[in-house]
């Protein structure tokens, strides 16, 4: 009885974690693209034969990107996920120590 409940809980947590991890990775990739635009414009050593207008337009494009992954209108970032996960682990550990939640094995 308890084994099937535990397996079901782990399964649903994995199913829920997958979109959150993908959204955090997408937000990180968009932030990296924005930083890349600034770096290319500031130090165009690899793009010396590129015209200044093209570099400016690329900088304008990357600086105007406002791509943040959202799930149910809540922005998803890796720092938010780590903070929520850490708080949940701390709370669960505290509940186990106070014998509010117990596990029968």
């Amino acid at each position: 009885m308890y084994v099937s409940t535990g397996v079901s809980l782990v399964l649903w947590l994995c199913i829920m974690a997958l979109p959150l991890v993908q959204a955090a990775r997408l937000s990180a990739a968009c932030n990296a693209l924005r930083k890349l635009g600034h770096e290319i414009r500031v130090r165009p050593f690899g793009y010396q034969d590129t015209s200044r207008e093209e570099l400016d337009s690329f900088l304008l494009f990357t600086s105007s990107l406002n791509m943040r992954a959202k799930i149910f209108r809540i922005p998803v970032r890796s720092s938010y996920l780590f903070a929520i996960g850490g708080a949940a682990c701390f709370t669960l550990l505290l509940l186990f120590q106070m014998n509010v939640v117990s596990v029968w094995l």
Side-chain angles (χ1 to χ4, degrees), residues 6-21 92:
V7 169
S8 177
L9 177 67
V10 169
L11 176 69
W12 279 105
L13 286 175
C14 290
I15 290 172
M16 185 180 70
L18 185 66
L20 291 174
V21 168
L92 193 61

Side-chain angles (χ1 to χ4, degrees), residues 71-83:
I71 296 179
F72 300 117
R73 294 187 179 253
I74 299 172
V76 178
R77 297 181 66 180
S78 59
S79 58
Y80 297 163
L81 294 179
F82 280 118

Side-chain angles (χ1 to χ4, degrees), residues 78-104:
S78 59
S79 58
Y80 297 163
L81 294 179
F82 280 118
I84 290 171
C89 288
F90 178 74
T91 303
L92 193 61
L93 180 65
L94 187 65
L95 290 176
F96 277 130
Q97 290 292 324
M98 293 173 45
N99 286 328
V100 174
V101 176
S102 60
V103 177
W104 300 282

Side-chain angles (χ1 to χ4, degrees), residues 2 8 10 13 15 22 36 45 57 66 70 73 89:
Y2 295 115
S8 177
V10 169
L13 286 175
I15 290 172
Q22 290 296 329
L36 177 71
F45 300 123
S57 67
N66 193 9
K70 293 182 180 182
R73 294 187 179 253
C89 288

Side-chain angles (χ1 to χ4, degrees), residues 43-74:
R43 289 180 257 141
F45 300 123
Y47 304 94
Q48 292 175 352
D49 56 345
T50 308
S51 69
R52 189 181 267 309
E53 291 82 22
E54 288 179 0
L55 290 175
D56 286 339
S57 67
F58 184 69
L59 174 65
L60 183 63
F61 170 71
T62 57
S63 64
S64 66
L65 281 176
N66 193 9
M67 294 174 50
R68 291 187 189 112
K70 293 182 180 182
I71 296 179
F72 300 117
R73 294 187 179 253
I74 299 172

